[in-house]
Amino acid sequence: MIRHLVLLFFLSAPALATAQVGCANGTLAIDAGFDGGRLDHCEFSAADSVELTFRAEDYRVSDAFAWFAFRVAADDPREVTIRLQFPDSYARFWPKLSRDGRSWSPAPEEAVVRSETGKSMTLTLDIDESGLWVAAQELLTARFYQDWLVQLETHFELDTRVIGESRQGRPIHLASTGDRPEAVILLGRQHPVEVPGAMAMREFVDVVMGSSELAREFRERFMLLIVPLVNPDGVALGHARHNDGLTDLNRDWGPFTQPETQSVAGLLDQLDARGIAPRLMLDFHATKQWPTMIFYTQVPEDDTDPKLFASNWLGRVDERIDDFEFKHDPRPPSGQGNAKNYFFKRYGIPSITYEIGDELDRSAIIEHTPVFAEEMMRTMLESP
């Protein structure tokens, strides 16, 4: 019976499957054969107990944490013990659970025990033949972006097109409004694990492309360029940070050794050739460094154009959200090849890394992101 169960499980996976490990013992099955799945080793220690190993995607990963995403199913309801091991990393993420791969919730506290070293965690879960998805974060994979692009295409001011391909041939999509002398650029998902940043980006775009008088006035002045998924290979393969080329794309701005960053660089060259001036860049990420939101910006001495944009923007937000603490962390330019440094050095514009806390309640993202979007538009509209 379990073999039929495994077959049904694989047939329910998203269209683009990845070659990952799975295991079964006749009554219990584990697999990661789906878009975004990650499982490096699987071994049963008892009939209802299994040990799973997760490793960094390649030897060049500098941050010691690994993504995990798998499904487990049983031929009859039972309690199953699953030990997740991270031999060369640590358990950064609180597990998220789903019955259908679309609706997710954090695992209950009583179901998770983390080791003192952070090198492993043990889950105790109720499993039946309908199966359970377990992942480090919600699985926002190709299907999520396809649905989003369909939504964007329905907006009469937006056009979508492919501006390049990843190393494995996946498209890099752009959604943009019509040409204006000034442009605002939004980038998303350079790092595959940083799912809350993707959630915030979608909410942010919804507000900027909305029907409010503020949004319409903003779009009359500024062209909007949206690249929702910079690293499609990393997302599909269950990577933590890298693309398929052993490269952190947010360290490849300037060198442009990878086709993904080259695609965006080509877009910027086209803007320059048409006389369109970038005025702001926001790069959406997620972080373990701060529980809510953190914004890495230029320091006041950097004299961005518009001047003091970050301080003015975030100060306005702070006045409106008095019960929600976020962090503004100005930093001078460094030699690191990230998007924040590159856009500032090339254009002298505010270039901001917009980070959401890993475990920030998803309802808080929905509640507060519109304020950040609205005050961004007001602050930009007041710039000379």
Side-chain angles (χ1 to χ4, degrees):
M1 180 176 179
I2 194 69
R3 281 180 288 185
H4 296 293
L5 181 62
V6 173
L7 177 60
L8 288 172
F9 229 13
F10 273 93
L11 289 176
S12 70
L16 182 59
T18 54
Q20 301 289 342
V21 174
C23 62
N25 66 359
T27 61
L28 192 66
I30 307 280
D31 85 274
F34 53 85
D35 209 14
R38 184 77 190 186
L39 172 57
D40 292 282
H41 185 70
C42 177
E43 183 175 344
F44 286 92
S45 54
D48 296 329
S49 182
V50 63
E51 294 188 357
L52 309 180
T53 301
F54 303 90
R55 310 198 75 104
E57 59 259 27
D58 61 67
Y59 72 93
R60 292 181 62 181
V61 173
S62 58
D63 286 340
F65 60 87
W67 175 262
F68 59 89
F70 58 92
R71 294 173 297 190
V72 55
D75 63 354
D76 56 68
R78 70 187 70 183
E79 185 178 87
V80 176
T81 301
I82 306 172
R83 185 166 185 259
L84 284 61
Q85 302 179 96
F86 305 91
D88 53 6
S89 59
Y90 70 97
R92 167 173 165 174
F93 303 100
W94 188 266
K96 312 300 183 299
L97 308 180
S98 174
R99 293 291 177 184
D100 59 6
R102 286 181 177 267
S103 300
W104 296 83
S105 59
E109 288 194 18
E110 64 271 16
V112 182
V113 177
R114 279 174 159 159
S115 68
E116 290 185 6
T117 64
K119 306 287 284 185
S120 67
M121 68 170 71
T122 300
L123 312 183
T124 305
L125 302 171
D126 292 325
I127 307 297
D128 58 28
E129 64 180 10
S130 66
L132 184 69
W133 305 62
V134 182
Q137 297 283 31
E138 298 87 339
L139 286 173
L140 304 189
T141 55
R143 183 169 60 188
F144 171 85
Y145 289 97
Q146 289 163 2
D147 291 345
W148 189 8
L149 285 167
V150 169
Q151 174 196 332
L152 292 174
E153 286 170 352
T154 65
H155 196 292
F156 72 98
E157 292 180 63
L158 275 173
D159 291 317
T160 63
R161 63 185 176 93
V162 174
I163 58 172
E165 291 185 342
S166 67
R167 288 179 62 91
Q168 291 194 351
R170 293 179 177 87
I172 310 293
H173 291 279
L174 167 73
S176 61
T177 57
D179 283 8
R180 299 285 189 271
E182 303 169 284
V184 171
I185 298 165
L186 309 180
L187 303 177
R189 211 69 185 279
Q190 294 202 67
H191 295 150
V193 299
E194 297 178 8
V195 168
M199 295 175 174
M201 184 180 188
R202 187 164 182 171
E203 295 291 332
F204 196 96
V205 169
D206 281 351
V207 175
V208 176
M209 294 306 304
S211 59
S212 70
E213 182 178 347
L214 173 63
R216 291 196 301 269
E217 183 182 357
F218 178 80
R219 297 195 303 270
E220 286 175 3
R221 174 174 171 183
F222 295 99
M223 181 182 188
L224 191 69
L225 299 111
I226 307 159
V227 186
L229 177 55
V230 178
N231 190 355
D233 289 352
V235 169
L237 297 171
H239 287 184
R241 290 181 74 84
H242 287 182
N243 68 343
D244 187 49
L246 286 70
T247 299
D248 182 336
L249 295 179
N250 204 31
R251 301 295 182 270
D252 193 47
W253 293 89
F256 296 122
T257 66
Q258 302 301 303
E260 296 89 345
T261 49
Q262 290 168 9
S263 297
V264 182
L267 171 65
L268 298 178
D269 291 341
Q270 293 172 23
L271 295 180
D272 292 348
R274 302 206 304 271
I276 298 171
R279 297 297 309 280
L280 171 68
M281 188 283 298
L282 301 179
D283 183 18
F284 289 80
H285 287 260
T287 181
K288 65 181 185 296
Q289 304 293 344
W290 192 257
T292 56
M293 299 181 184
I294 184 168
F295 296 84
Y296 295 109
T297 74
Q298 287 69 50
V299 297
E301 294 78 13
D302 283 336
D303 195 25
T304 59
D305 181 17
K307 292 180 181 295
L308 300 176
F309 167 82
S311 297
N312 293 334
W313 169 39
L314 297 175
R316 288 179 169 208
V317 173
D318 193 45
E319 290 177 358
R320 286 184 60 184
I321 310 178
D322 56 8
D323 60 345
F324 180 79
E325 185 179 4
F326 60 89
K327 185 176 182 180
H328 179 197
D329 190 352
R331 297 187 177 189
S334 70
Q336 190 179 83
N338 60 39
K340 170 180 170 287
N341 286 329
Y342 178 78
F343 276 84
F344 172 68
K345 291 176 180 177
R346 178 167 176 172
Y347 296 109
I349 62 173
S351 304
I352 297 172
T353 310
Y354 187 133
E355 304 246 17
I356 308 298
D358 283 341
E359 307 303 335
L360 179 63
D361 190 286
R362 296 347 186 196
S363 64
I365 296 175
I366 296 170
E367 178 183 359
H368 296 306
T369 299
V371 179
F372 287 91
E374 289 163 4
E375 296 308 327
M376 179 277 289
M377 291 188 287
R378 288 193 178 95
T379 306
M380 289 299 295
L381 283 168
E382 291 178 1
S383 66

